[in-house]
Amino acid sequence: MSPLFERKKVTPPTAESSMHYVSAATAIHATRRQVWEFIKPPENSVLMDPDIVRGFKAPGIEGTGEVQVFISIRDGLERVSALEVMEEIPQELAITRTLGGEDPAARGRTSLRDGDGGATVLEHGQYFTLPAGAAGYFDEFERQHRLFCRQYVERVKAFLERQPGYPAG
């Protein structure tokens, strides 16, 4: 077979790298179903991330194995990224990975659970590795990942709680 058509395996993290996890959570005055139906379709990503101009599901599998594609504009440049849904429990949990990402061990984790007073708690987290030799930058890595998680849950909350037809808080 031609080397142009050979698939290369994703390199796992080395023993020299370390795995870390950060997350953010918020209570949203909406049902799990309402939250899930908002965050699941990639088309709604334009409402959660100001850089994204289009999101869509690649043809094929629904749920585990699904690929979601996002087109964004950052610093005036158009970029394409894709997520693979590695695990999904509808209205409860989704584990994703970025296809072709710089950190092959990185994962996103989004979960929903029942909160007080009929609210739904949305938690979004990120697993990431800190490459060997980057220990001096851990605080910055962690800050950036935590900021992304916080912005995501707060944007979902802001959108859902201001929409007509959703329970008011």
Short mmCIF file of all heavy atoms in Angstrom, two decimals, residues 105-132:
data_model
loop_
_atom_site.label_atom_id
_atom_site.label_comp_id
_atom_site.label_asym_id
_atom_site.label_seq_id
_atom_site.Cartn_x
_atom_site.Cartn_y
_atom_site.Cartn_z
N ALA A 105 -4.08 13.04 23.94
CA ALA A 105 -4.73 12.49 25.13
C ALA A 105 -5.85 13.38 25.64
O ALA A 105 -6.61 12.99 26.53
CB ALA A 105 -3.69 12.28 26.24
N ALA A 106 -5.99 14.58 25.10
CA ALA A 106 -6.99 15.53 25.59
C ALA A 106 -8.40 15.00 25.35
O ALA A 106 -8.68 14.35 24.34
CB ALA A 106 -6.82 16.88 24.89
N ARG A 107 -9.27 15.28 26.31
CA ARG A 107 -10.67 14.88 26.22
C ARG A 107 -11.54 15.98 26.81
O ARG A 107 -11.13 16.68 27.73
CB ARG A 107 -10.95 13.59 27.01
CG ARG A 107 -10.15 12.37 26.58
CD ARG A 107 -10.61 11.86 25.22
NE ARG A 107 -9.89 10.67 24.81
CZ ARG A 107 -8.82 10.65 24.02
NH1 ARG A 107 -8.31 11.79 23.59
NH2 ARG A 107 -8.26 9.53 23.66
N GLY A 108 -12.75 16.11 26.28
CA GLY A 108 -13.75 16.98 26.86
C GLY A 108 -14.77 16.10 27.58
O GLY A 108 -15.06 14.99 27.12
N ARG A 109 -15.30 16.57 28.68
CA ARG A 109 -16.30 15.81 29.44
C ARG A 109 -17.42 16.77 29.81
O ARG A 109 -17.20 17.75 30.52
CB ARG A 109 -15.68 15.22 30.70
CG ARG A 109 -16.65 14.40 31.53
CD ARG A 109 -15.97 13.87 32.80
NE ARG A 109 -16.81 12.93 33.49
CZ ARG A 109 -17.82 13.26 34.30
NH1 ARG A 109 -18.09 14.53 34.50
NH2 ARG A 109 -18.54 12.33 34.89
N THR A 110 -18.62 16.49 29.31
CA THR A 110 -19.78 17.30 29.62
C THR A 110 -20.80 16.42 30.31
O THR A 110 -21.14 15.35 29.80
CB THR A 110 -20.38 17.90 28.33
OG1 THR A 110 -19.38 18.67 27.67
CG2 THR A 110 -21.56 18.80 28.64
N SER A 111 -21.28 16.85 31.48
CA SER A 111 -22.26 16.05 32.20
C SER A 111 -23.40 16.91 32.70
O SER A 111 -23.25 18.11 32.93
CB SER A 111 -21.60 15.32 33.38
OG SER A 111 -21.13 16.24 34.34
N LEU A 112 -24.56 16.27 32.84
CA LEU A 112 -25.75 16.90 33.37
C LEU A 112 -26.22 16.09 34.56
O LEU A 112 -26.19 14.85 34.53
CB LEU A 112 -26.87 16.93 32.33
CG LEU A 112 -26.58 17.64 31.00
CD1 LEU A 112 -27.77 17.51 30.07
CD2 LEU A 112 -26.26 19.10 31.25
N ARG A 113 -26.66 16.78 35.61
CA ARG A 113 -27.25 16.10 36.76
C ARG A 113 -28.34 16.99 37.33
O ARG A 113 -28.37 18.20 37.07
CB ARG A 113 -26.20 15.75 37.80
CG ARG A 113 -25.53 16.92 38.48
CD ARG A 113 -24.45 16.47 39.47
NE ARG A 113 -23.85 17.58 40.16
CZ ARG A 113 -22.83 18.30 39.71
NH1 ARG A 113 -22.28 18.01 38.54
NH2 ARG A 113 -22.36 19.30 40.42
N ASP A 114 -29.24 16.39 38.08
CA ASP A 114 -30.32 17.15 38.68
C ASP A 114 -29.78 18.05 39.78
O ASP A 114 -28.95 17.63 40.59
CB ASP A 114 -31.37 16.20 39.26
CG ASP A 114 -32.06 15.38 38.17
OD1 ASP A 114 -32.14 15.87 37.02
OD2 ASP A 114 -32.50 14.25 38.45
N GLY A 115 -30.26 19.27 39.79
CA GLY A 115 -29.88 20.23 40.83
C GLY A 115 -31.07 20.55 41.71
O GLY A 115 -32.15 19.97 41.57
N ASP A 116 -30.91 21.50 42.59
CA ASP A 116 -31.98 21.92 43.50
C ASP A 116 -33.07 22.67 42.76
O ASP A 116 -32.80 23.38 41.78
CB ASP A 116 -31.41 22.81 44.61
CG ASP A 116 -30.44 22.07 45.51
OD1 ASP A 116 -30.54 20.82 45.60
OD2 ASP A 116 -29.57 22.73 46.11
N GLY A 117 -34.28 22.53 43.23
CA GLY A 117 -35.40 23.31 42.71
C GLY A 117 -35.72 23.07 41.25
O GLY A 117 -36.18 23.98 40.56
N GLY A 118 -35.45 21.87 40.75
CA GLY A 118 -35.75 21.56 39.35
C GLY A 118 -34.70 22.04 38.37
O GLY A 118 -34.89 21.92 37.16
N ALA A 119 -33.62 22.59 38.87
CA ALA A 119 -32.55 23.05 37.98
C ALA A 119 -31.72 21.86 37.49
O ALA A 119 -31.78 20.76 38.05
CB ALA A 119 -31.64 24.04 38.71
N THR A 120 -30.95 22.09 36.45
CA THR A 120 -30.01 21.11 35.94
C THR A 120 -28.61 21.66 36.14
O THR A 120 -28.36 22.83 35.81
CB THR A 120 -30.25 20.84 34.43
OG1 THR A 120 -31.55 20.28 34.28
CG2 THR A 120 -29.21 19.90 33.85
N VAL A 121 -27.71 20.84 36.66
CA VAL A 121 -26.32 21.26 36.82
C VAL A 121 -25.57 20.80 35.58
O VAL A 121 -25.52 19.60 35.26
CB VAL A 121 -25.68 20.68 38.09
CG1 VAL A 121 -24.21 21.06 38.17
CG2 VAL A 121 -26.44 21.17 39.33
N LEU A 122 -25.01 21.75 34.85
CA LEU A 122 -24.17 21.49 33.69
C LEU A 122 -22.72 21.63 34.13
O LEU A 122 -22.33 22.67 34.66
CB LEU A 122 -24.46 22.51 32.57
CG LEU A 122 -23.47 22.55 31.41
CD1 LEU A 122 -23.45 21.23 30.63
CD2 LEU A 122 -23.80 23.73 30.49
N GLU A 123 -21.95 20.56 33.91
CA GLU A 123 -20.51 20.62 34.20
C GLU A 123 -19.76 20.31 32.92
O GLU A 123 -20.08 19.36 32.22
CB GLU A 123 -20.12 19.61 35.27
CG GLU A 123 -18.63 19.66 35.59
CD GLU A 123 -18.21 18.72 36.73
OE1 GLU A 123 -19.07 18.04 37.30
OE2 GLU A 123 -17.01 18.71 37.02
N HIS A 124 -18.78 21.15 32.62
CA HIS A 124 -17.93 20.90 31.46
C HIS A 124 -16.48 20.89 31.94
O HIS A 124 -16.05 21.79 32.65
CB HIS A 124 -18.10 21.97 30.38
CG HIS A 124 -17.26 21.70 29.17
ND1 HIS A 124 -17.54 20.66 28.31
CD2 HIS A 124 -16.14 22.28 28.72
CE1 HIS A 124 -16.61 20.64 27.36
NE2 HIS A 124 -15.75 21.61 27.59
N GLY A 125 -15.76 19.84 31.56
CA GLY A 125 -14.38 19.71 31.98
C GLY A 125 -13.48 19.32 30.82
O GLY A 125 -13.96 18.88 29.77
N GLN A 126 -12.20 19.49 31.05
CA GLN A 126 -11.20 19.13 30.04
C GLN A 126 -10.05 18.39 30.70
O GLN A 126 -9.51 18.84 31.71
CB GLN A 126 -10.66 20.38 29.34
CG GLN A 126 -11.68 21.09 28.51
CD GLN A 126 -11.07 22.24 27.73
OE1 GLN A 126 -10.13 22.88 28.17
NE2 GLN A 126 -11.61 22.49 26.56
N TYR A 127 -9.71 17.25 30.10
CA TYR A 127 -8.49 16.52 30.46
C TYR A 127 -7.42 17.00 29.50
O TYR A 127 -7.67 17.15 28.30
CB TYR A 127 -8.67 15.01 30.26
CG TYR A 127 -9.64 14.39 31.23
CD1 TYR A 127 -10.99 14.27 30.91
CD2 TYR A 127 -9.21 13.91 32.46
CE1 TYR A 127 -11.88 13.69 31.79
CE2 TYR A 127 -10.11 13.33 33.35
CZ TYR A 127 -11.44 13.22 33.00
OH TYR A 127 -12.32 12.65 33.89
N PHE A 128 -6.24 17.25 30.00
CA PHE A 128 -5.15 17.68 29.13
C PHE A 128 -3.83 17.20 29.70
O PHE A 128 -3.72 16.94 30.89
CB PHE A 128 -5.14 19.21 28.95
CG PHE A 128 -4.86 19.99 30.21
CD1 PHE A 128 -3.58 20.45 30.49
CD2 PHE A 128 -5.88 20.29 31.11
CE1 PHE A 128 -3.31 21.18 31.65
CE2 PHE A 128 -5.62 21.02 32.26
CZ PHE A 128 -4.34 21.46 32.54
N THR A 129 -2.85 17.08 28.83
CA THR A 129 -1.52 16.71 29.30
C THR A 129 -0.62 17.93 29.28
O THR A 129 -0.80 18.84 28.47
CB THR A 129 -0.89 15.60 28.43
OG1 THR A 129 -0.81 16.05 27.08
CG2 THR A 129 -1.68 14.31 28.49
N LEU A 130 0.30 17.90 30.17
CA LEU A 130 1.31 18.95 30.23
C LEU A 130 2.60 18.30 29.73
O LEU A 130 3.12 17.39 30.38
CB LEU A 130 1.47 19.44 31.67
CG LEU A 130 2.34 20.66 31.88
CD1 LEU A 130 1.74 21.88 31.17
CD2 LEU A 130 2.49 20.94 33.36
N PRO A 131 3.08 18.71 28.59
CA PRO A 131 4.27 18.08 28.04
C PRO A 131 5.48 18.20 28.96
O PRO A 131 5.60 19.16 29.72
CB PRO A 131 4.53 18.85 26.74
CG PRO A 131 3.26 19.58 26.46
CD PRO A 131 2.59 19.80 27.78
N ALA A 132 6.34 17.20 28.88
CA ALA A 132 7.58 17.25 29.65
C ALA A 132 8.31 18.54 29.29
O ALA A 132 8.31 18.98 28.15
CB ALA A 132 8.45 16.04 29.31
#
